[in-house]
């Protein structure tokens, strides 16, 4: 198996995700790293956000991460052999006010990576745009939509529940252009 020094973001995320899974901690990749994967690298991220789906406990996560050679620094885990850092935002896994039920997976040589689906990755980015007017997140949602098959009706229904139909329409126009 590759050393951590040789792993790219996806491989490192899969490695950590699989190591945690062996200890009964189910994590799912979200955030900018998910966008990096689904945007074919148009966006890059230095941090790997793994959501602990069932809040298995920081102590268990810390023990696994320490066993992998990571050290806790503030709210991140860092390793001397990579510039990438890993964060475990608190669950439950959701986008806006909606829980996430469908999880995608990718097989890497280093393990199995569980991640948001393209549809939920778009919702995740749109949530930042809807609630904080984050235009960079809108751009990221557009990139993911342009590069992947996703469920537009699901995004529309979610946007209606979030009370953001006007901003959803702006997203749709950007995707089409």
């Amino acid at each position: 198996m590759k050393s951590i020094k040789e792993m790219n973001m996806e491989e490192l995320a899969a490695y950590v995700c699989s190591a945690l899974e062996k200890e009964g901690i189910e994590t799912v990749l979200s955030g900018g790293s998910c966008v990096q994967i689904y945007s074919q690298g148009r966006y890059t991220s230095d941090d790997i956000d793994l959501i602990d789906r069932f809040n298995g406990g920081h102590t268990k996560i810390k023990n696994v991460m320490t066993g992998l050679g990571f050290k806790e620094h503030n709210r991140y885990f860092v390793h001397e052999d990579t510039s990438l850092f890993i964060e475990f935002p608190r669950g439950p896994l959701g986008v806006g006010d909606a829980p996430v039920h469908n999880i995608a997976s990718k097989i890497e040589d280093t393990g199995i990576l569980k991640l948001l689906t393209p549809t939920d990755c778009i919702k995740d980015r749109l949530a930042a745009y809807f609630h904080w007017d984050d235009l960079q997140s809108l751009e990221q949602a557009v990139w993911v939509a342009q590069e992947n098959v996703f469920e537009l009706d699901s995004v529309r229904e979610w946007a209606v529940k979030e009370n953001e139909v006007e901003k959803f329409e702006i997203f749709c126009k950007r995707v089409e252009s």
Side-chain angles (χ1 to χ4, degrees), residues 8-9 12 45-48 77-79 82-86:
N8 65 29
M9 183 276 298
L12 181 59
S45 179
D46 291 330
D47 74 323
I48 296 170
F77 286 88
V78 296
H79 194 286
T82 182
S83 61
L84 298 167
F85 46 97
I86 301 174

Side-chain angles (χ1 to χ4, degrees), residues 21-120:
E21 182 91 18
K22 286 178 189 167
E23 297 301 320
I25 303 165
E26 188 177 340
T27 57
V28 177
L29 184 72
S30 68
S33 294
C34 217
V35 173
Q36 181 175 329
I37 292 168
Y38 288 131
S39 72
Q40 309 303 319
R42 287 174 80 177
Y43 177 81
T44 58
S45 179
D46 291 330
D47 74 323
I48 296 170
D49 293 326
L50 291 170
I51 306 290
D52 178 2
R53 282 195 74 189
F54 304 109
N55 293 320
H58 184 74
T59 302
K60 273 180 94 172
I61 290 172
K62 185 176 181 177
N63 290 339
V64 173
M65 295 302 286
T66 301
L68 297 176
F70 285 84
K71 293 182 179 141
E72 192 170 15
H73 179 71
N74 296 325
R75 65 180 204 256
Y76 300 102
F77 286 88
V78 296
H79 194 286
E80 64 184 21
D81 290 338
T82 182
S83 61
L84 298 167
F85 46 97
I86 301 174
E87 182 180 5
F88 294 92
R90 196 154 166 75
L93 184 63
V95 288
D97 291 330
V100 170
H101 300 291
N102 298 325
I103 306 298
S105 62
K106 267 188 105 177
I107 298 172
E108 299 287 338
D109 291 338
T110 56
I112 297 173
L113 175 61
K114 292 184 178 180
L115 66 163
L116 294 177
T117 64
T119 300
D120 284 328

